[in-house]
C-alpha cells in the first residue's frame, strides 16, 4: 500500500470550500501545525489508542483507510504503531500536507462517495465528521456501500 505520488480521482480535489473552511483549506500547513503542535496533540494520541483498541477487538489485520484524512496526523500516529494506512482526502491542499507528513503512504485525492481503490482493508475510519458533509440520503447510502466494498471479508 505504498505510493509515492498523490493520486487525483476524477473531479475530486476541485472542492470549493466556503466560510471558515476556505481559511483552513488555503492555509492547511499552518492549521496543521497549530492543531498537532498545540493543545490538540493529547487528543490525537487518545484517538489513536481508541482506534487501536477497536481494531484489536474487531479484526485481525492492520490495514486502514482514513477517509477525510485531512493533514494525515492519524495516518502518522497509526503508522507508528504498525498500521498500514491509506489516506483519502477531498481537498488537495490538505492531501499535500498529509503526503508531506507520510511520504511512504498512499494519499488519494478523492470523494468518499466513489473512491476507486484497489485496496481491501481491515478497517475504515473517518474522523471529525467528514461523513456529516453528505447532505443527501442517496450520497450517504453510496458512501457506506463504497466503504463496505473496500473491507476485507
Amino acid at each position: 500500500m505504498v505510493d509515492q505520488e498523490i493520486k487525483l480521482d476524477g473531479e475530486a480535489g476541485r472542492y470549493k470550500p466556503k466560510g471558515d473552511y476556505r481559511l483552513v483549506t488555503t492555509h492547511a500547513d499552518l492549521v496543521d501545525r497549530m492543531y498537532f503542535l498545540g493543545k490538540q496533540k493529547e487528543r490525537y494520541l487518545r484517538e489513536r489508542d481508541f482506534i487501536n483498541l477497536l481494531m484489536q477487538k474487531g479484526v485481525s489485520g492492520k490495514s486502514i483507510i482514513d477517509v477525510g484524512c485531512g493533514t494525515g496526523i492519524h495516518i502518522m500516529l497509526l503508522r507508528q504503531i504498525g498500521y498500514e494506512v491509506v489516506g483519502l482526502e477531498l481537498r488537495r491542499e490538505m492531501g499535500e500536507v498529509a503526503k508531506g507528513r507520510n511520504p511512504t503512504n498512499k494519499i488519494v485525492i478523492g470523494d468518499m462517495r466513489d473512491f476507486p481503490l484497489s485496496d481491501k482493508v481491515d478497517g475504515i475510519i473517518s474522523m471529525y465528521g467528514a461523513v456529516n458533509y453528505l447532505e443527501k440520503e442517496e450520497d450517504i447510502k453510496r458512501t457506506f456501500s463504497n466503504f463496505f466494498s473496500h473491507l476485507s471479508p
Side-chain angles (χ1 to χ4, degrees):
M1 291 198 323
V2 174
D3 184 24
Q4 295 301 328
E5 300 297 323
I6 291 180
K7 302 279 187 189
L8 181 61
D9 173 25
E11 295 296 308
R14 297 183 184 179
Y15 170 74
K16 300 294 184 216
K18 298 175 185 169
D20 292 345
Y21 288 99
R22 183 177 309 141
L23 177 67
V24 170
T25 300
T26 303
H27 302 285
D29 58 339
L30 177 61
V31 171
D32 172 67
R33 287 190 304 256
M34 190 172 67
Y35 272 103
F36 189 62
L37 298 176
K39 62 183 178 180
Q40 304 299 326
K41 186 173 185 176
E42 289 302 314
R43 185 186 78 199
Y44 281 109
L45 294 171
R46 287 191 307 272
E47 290 165 351
R48 177 211 51 203
D49 293 344
F50 180 69
I51 293 165
N52 186 43
L53 178 68
L54 291 176
M55 290 292 290
Q56 288 175 349
K57 294 206 178 274
V59 296
S60 59
K62 295 199 98 165
S63 61
I64 296 174
I65 297 173
D66 183 356
V67 176
C69 70
T71 61
I73 294 171
H74 290 101
I75 294 171
M76 175 191 72
L77 294 174
L78 289 165
R79 186 186 70 235
Q80 290 172 350
I81 59 172
Y83 285 91
E84 296 177 43
V85 187
V86 172
L88 177 72
E89 176 57 45
L90 184 62
R91 298 172 286 180
R92 176 177 289 282
E93 296 87 348
M94 297 295 234
E96 289 171 352
V97 175
K99 188 64 177 174
R101 170 174 278 124
N102 303 286
T104 61
N105 289 75
K106 181 189 288 185
I107 306 295
V108 177
I109 305 302
D111 190 314
M112 70 177 82
R113 293 171 289 191
D114 58 13
F115 62 95
L117 295 179
S118 58
D119 306 272
K120 292 280 187 180
V121 296
D122 303 306
I124 296 176
I125 62 172
S126 183
M127 306 301 290
Y128 306 130
V131 174
N132 293 334
Y133 291 98
L134 300 170
E135 297 177 353
K136 298 177 184 169
E137 184 176 346
E138 73 180 57
D139 288 338
I140 295 167
K141 289 178 180 178
R142 204 165 109 202
T143 297
F144 282 100
S145 176
N146 195 28
F147 286 4
F148 185 77
S149 73
H150 285 85
L151 290 172
S152 297

